[in-house]
Amino acid sequence: MRRLNRKKTLNLMKELDAFPKVPESYVETSASGGTVSLIAFTTIAFLTIMEFTVYRDTWMKYEYEVDKDFTSKLRINIDITVAMRCQYVGADVLDLAETMVASADGLIYEPVVFDLSPQQKEWQRMLQLIQSRLQEEHSLQDVIFKSAFKSASTALPPREDNSLESPDACRIHGHLYVNKVAGNFHITVGKAIPHPRGHAHLAALVSHESYNFSHRIDHLSFGELIPGIINPLDGTEKIASDHNQMFQYFITVVPTKLHTYKISAETHQFSVTERVIINHAAGSHGVSGIFMKYDISSLMVTVTEEHMPFWQFLVRLCGIIGGIFSTTGILHGFGRFVAEVIFCRFRLGSYRSTSDPLPDGHTSNHLPLTTDNSAH
């Protein structure tokens, strides 16, 4: 009984076989079929390699939603060098209500030389080149997101030549925390003095001829500091042509959550427009200095690095292999059909051209019959 059940099961499985085998004695091979097979296998190998390359690659997915975080603080990372001595300049932040001055205790004032060393100039040149390419090709931002990791650094390299020049500039660097509302970070003449109705700067003791707000922004970012991320103002350098110039930067900050295979952080992207004003000859007036007026967007962007699933790679690979086999089989069959039709017509034409004329003027289209007697 068991053997009978096994035989029935095997017969049932044979009937369900969707891949019937043809004996080799019934299979006819040809040179054209071998050529087409070689082309098909080569194409399959090439497309499989390309598909595997696509499978290994990743892409960035952008999702947008309303930012519901109203209570957290916004971190501002600053590294700016101003071509004035540290005792002459002061930096602070004023929020939108102009009643609360954020303390700038987290900033460090470091006397430095404004001119860069050769190595630092090369770093600045490369950074400005990257900035120009980012403005032309926005897709490069995805590459920066994917390559960002905590061990990388895009900061200005330390000075390698021990310059004996006396410091003529002030490097203001560090970070500070402000409320998530629009505000104004500014660097102007004199130290800031907060008071209940606003704030003021002690500028009376500074000579007007010493005003020079030529500056270099080595780094400016919002949110968590992520080395490897290049921000729009990194590497910017502005040279003042007049003592009374005001440099204004209007910044729109967009909260961003970044999730890649190397890092997961909450940072902020921003866009910026620039304006340089104060020309007393043209009738414009104001306070000399560097003003960065920022506004917080109500939308939050979530940037996620995604990868093709393995099952999707298998489906696409099966589609490539099956599609190429089917297509080449159809093309090969069609080519053989066309070739047979052409050769058949050619043979018929050759037969008609060899027909024998009859004595009455007619032609005979019949081929002569050969017998054994005629052969002898």
Side-chain angles (χ1 to χ4, degrees):
M1 286 295 293
R2 292 183 178 178
R3 291 182 178 178
L4 183 61
N5 291 333
R6 288 180 180 177
K7 289 183 178 181
K8 289 182 179 180
T9 304
L10 290 176
N11 292 332
L12 179 61
M13 296 302 294
K14 289 180 179 180
E15 293 178 0
L16 296 177
D17 188 5
F19 308 97
K21 311 301 184 294
V22 180
E24 294 184 0
S25 58
Y26 296 156
V27 177
E28 181 182 359
T29 58
S30 62
S32 62
T35 304
V36 173
S37 299
L38 183 61
I39 295 174
F41 290 143
T42 304
T43 307
I44 289 174
F46 175 74
L47 293 181
T48 299
I49 295 174
M50 295 298 293
E51 190 65 24
F52 182 72
T53 304
V54 174
Y55 169 71
R56 293 187 59 188
D57 194 15
T58 59
W59 61 89
M60 307 306 292
K61 179 181 178 182
Y62 292 81
E63 296 178 338
Y64 303 89
E65 59 180 322
V66 177
D67 186 14
K68 300 178 181 179
D69 185 7
F70 308 109
T71 58
S72 63
K73 295 288 186 177
L74 175 64
R75 171 170 169 161
I76 306 179
N77 308 295
I78 300 164
D79 191 350
I80 301 175
T81 302
V82 185
M84 292 181 65
R85 297 185 182 276
C86 292
Q87 62 266 27
Y88 296 157
V89 295
D92 63 330
V93 180
L94 188 65
D95 67 2
L96 184 62
E98 296 188 358
T99 56
M100 177 181 177
V101 178
S103 175
D105 295 337
L107 299 180
I108 300 173
Y109 294 78
E110 179 184 352
V112 294
V113 177
F114 187 78
D115 293 334
L116 297 176
S117 65
Q119 181 182 358
Q120 292 175 331
K121 287 182 179 180
E122 182 66 19
W123 170 87
Q124 185 186 39
R125 188 187 68 82
M126 291 300 299
L127 191 57
Q128 291 175 350
L129 179 61
I130 294 174
Q131 294 285 16
S132 62
R133 293 295 301 273
L134 284 173
Q135 293 177 2
E136 298 173 0
E137 302 178 19
H138 300 285
S139 59
L140 291 178
Q141 186 64 47
D142 294 349
V143 179
I144 293 177
F145 280 150
K146 289 190 288 186
S147 61
F149 55 97
K150 294 184 177 180
S151 61
S153 178
T154 57
L156 179 70
R159 200 176 191 93
E160 74 282 359
D161 58 338
N162 296 323
S163 177
L164 300 178
E165 300 180 20
S166 60
D168 58 350
C170 183
R171 180 191 175 196
I172 303 173
H173 61 98
H175 64 273
L176 47 87
Y177 292 91
V178 298
N179 295 323
K180 289 186 67 174
V181 295
N184 179 9
F185 170 76
H186 53 273
I187 302 174
T188 186
V189 180
K191 302 299 180 181
I193 303 176
H195 58 82
R197 294 186 178 182
H199 78 297
H201 289 264
L202 288 175
L205 302 179
V206 182
S207 174
H208 185 271
E209 285 73 18
S210 62
Y211 288 13
N212 184 6
F213 284 99
S214 299
H215 61 279
R216 183 178 61 253
I217 303 175
D218 296 328
H219 180 79
L220 178 69
S221 64
F222 298 82
E224 183 179 349
L225 183 60
I226 305 177
I229 296 295
I230 299 177
N231 298 278
L233 287 176
D234 293 354
T236 301
E237 182 173 310
K238 299 293 182 181
I239 304 300
S241 58
D242 190 86
H243 298 293
N244 299 317
Q245 279 187 321
M246 172 194 291
F247 296 91
Q248 288 186 332
Y249 298 92
F250 299 91
I251 300 173
T252 301
V253 183
V254 181
T256 304
K257 291 183 178 180
L258 182 62
H259 302 286
T260 68
Y261 291 105
K262 294 182 178 180
I263 192 173
S264 180
E266 294 187 3
T267 182
H268 291 71
Q269 303 179 82
F270 65 90
S271 61
V272 60
T273 56
E274 304 175 13
R275 188 174 66 164
V276 180
I277 62 174
I278 296 188
N279 183 358
H280 291 284
S284 62
H285 303 278
V287 179
S288 302
I290 305 168
F291 294 82
M292 297 182 178
K293 300 180 179 180
Y294 59 89
D295 193 8
I296 313 297
S297 175
S298 59
L299 293 179
M300 181 176 63
V301 182
T302 301
V303 185
T304 308
E305 184 178 7
E306 291 195 343
H307 186 274
M308 181 187 296
F310 183 70
W311 64 266
Q312 187 175 354
F313 168 71
L314 291 180
V315 170
R316 291 165 65 100
L317 192 61
C318 292
I320 289 174
I321 297 174
I324 291 178
F325 267 119
S326 301
T327 304
T328 52
I330 294 173
L331 293 177
H332 181 239
F334 180 75
R336 290 191 62 181
F337 172 75
V338 173
E340 289 177 358
V341 170
I342 294 175
F343 282 122
C344 285
R345 289 184 178 180
F346 178 75
R347 290 175 183 175
L348 289 175
S350 64
Y351 290 154
R352 290 175 182 175
S353 63
T354 57
S355 59
D356 298 330
L358 295 178
D360 57 357
H362 297 282
T363 58
S364 174
N365 295 327
H366 299 283
L367 296 176
L369 295 176
T370 58
T371 61
D372 296 338
N373 295 330
S374 62
H376 292 292

